[in-house]
Amino acid sequence: MLTTDYLPGAPCWIEVHTPDAEAANTFYTGLFGWQSVTLGPEFTHYRFCQVDGKTVAGISQVTGDEWRPAWLTYFQAPDVDVIAKTIEQAGGTVLFPPSDVEGQGRMAIFADPAGAAFAAWQPGRTKGLGMVTEPGSLGWVELYTPDPAAIRPFYQSVFGWRIEDMPMGDMSYPVISPAESGETAAMAGIIQLQPGDTPHWLPYFEVPDCDATAAMAQQLGGTLEAPATDVEGVGRMAFLIDPHGARFAVITSSD
C-alpha cells in the first residue's frame, strides 16, 4: 500500500493540470471536502489541497496546447537529473527539464515510450504528500498502456521497480512495488489500454462512499466515465472526468 515513507520510485506527489485553477478548486473541494491554500502569484497561484492540515494534492493552472487537462503523478527520485538521462536512454521523452522549485525540491516531467506522462520529484523541504490511503487522499495509481509487457523494462530501468503478476479473476494484474520495499508495499498497477484510448497514469482517491462521491461529481459538473463496480477483495470503484477533462478514479476499499 502507499505510504508517506517515500522510498525511491514511490508515488510522492499528485497534481491536476487545469486551464482554470479556480474552477478546479471549486470542483475538488466540493467533491472531497478539501481545504485549499493558494501559494500566491510568485507560484502562479498554485494550490495545496489539504485534509486536516495535511496536503493531499496540488492544483496547477497551465496554459497552451502542450498541456492538456490531466492528473500528473510524481515519483520520488534521489537525483532528478540522473533519472532524466536514464529516461532518455531508455526511450522516454523529457517534456519539462529538471528545474528547482524555490528550495522545495527539484522536478521534471517525462513521457514513457508509449506516451504516458509522469513526473519525478527530488525532495528538498517538501518531502511529499502529507497523507495517503485515508479518505480524501491518494490511494492507488494505475498505468494504462497499449502493451503492459513491453513497458515493464522501461520503468524497471528508470526506477528499479519490482513488478509481480497477481491473479485477479480470469486475468493477471501486474502490481508495482518500490525496489527497496517489503512485500506489503504495493503502490500501483498496470492495465491494458483500450483501443482508441490515450496512454496515461490514473490516480485513485480513497472515499467513504464510492457511489455518493460519483453522484456528487456529476452534480458538480463532472462526467461518469464508468459506473461504480465492485472488485472482489479490492473494493468498490468508479471512474470520473472533471469538468475540464482530467480523468481520475475513486475507491472505497474493502476492509
Side-chain angles (χ1 to χ4, degrees):
M1 61 183 294
L2 294 179
T3 74
T4 53
D5 292 339
Y6 301 129
L7 297 172
C12 63
W13 193 261
I14 193 90
E15 69 190 18
V16 64
H17 288 183
T18 179
D20 189 336
E22 190 63 40
N25 182 68
T26 299
F27 174 79
Y28 286 105
T29 56
L31 184 63
F32 294 127
W34 291 343
Q35 300 84 43
S36 69
V37 178
T38 303
L39 300 188
E42 63 270 30
F43 291 96
T44 61
H45 296 285
Y46 189 96
R47 287 168 168 80
F48 283 171
C49 300
Q50 299 180 334
V51 173
D52 296 330
K54 296 179 179 179
T55 300
V56 295
I59 297 177
S60 177
Q61 182 157 312
V62 294
T63 57
D65 296 335
E66 67 272 21
W67 300 111
R68 63 183 180 85
W71 278 95
L72 181 68
T73 300
Y74 286 71
F75 298 95
Q76 203 269 9
D79 190 322
V80 164
D81 295 84
V82 170
I83 287 286
K85 292 177 183 178
T86 303
I87 284 170
E88 288 185 303
Q89 292 168 358
T93 305
V94 177
L95 301 178
F96 185 86
S99 61
D100 290 322
V101 184
E102 299 291 336
Q104 301 300 317
R106 190 165 173 81
M107 57 82 68
I109 302 175
F110 309 101
D112 69 22
F118 64 99
W121 179 256
Q122 179 181 330
R125 288 196 297 271
T126 298
K127 306 303 179 185
L129 299 174
M131 177 190 292
V132 294
T133 71
E134 299 293 333
S137 69
L138 182 67
W140 190 251
V141 290
E142 273 180 343
L143 172 63
Y144 285 72
T145 187
D147 191 338
I151 206 67
R152 292 189 189 200
F154 169 79
Y155 284 104
Q156 288 171 321
S157 68
V158 171
F159 293 118
W161 287 346
R162 291 187 290 112
I163 304 177
E164 302 172 277
D165 291 313
M166 304 295 289
M168 184 174 288
D170 297 331
M171 56 176 281
S172 63
Y173 180 60
V175 173
I176 300 166
S177 303
E180 300 177 13
S181 65
E183 294 182 0
T184 60
M187 62 185 193
I190 304 176
I191 292 287
Q192 175 73 52
L193 188 73
Q194 294 299 309
D197 201 354
T198 303
H200 61 282
W201 279 94
L202 184 77
Y204 284 68
F205 295 96
E206 187 72 37
V207 295
D209 186 327
C210 176
D211 295 81
T213 303
M216 177 60 72
Q218 294 173 85
Q219 292 175 20
L220 292 169
T223 303
L224 184 65
E225 186 174 28
T229 185
D230 291 311
V231 177
E232 186 177 356
V234 177
R236 188 165 176 81
M237 59 192 72
F239 297 83
L240 301 161
I241 304 173
D242 78 12
H244 292 102
R247 304 161 79 170
F248 64 102
V250 294
I251 183 170
T252 302
S253 295
S254 302
D255 294 333

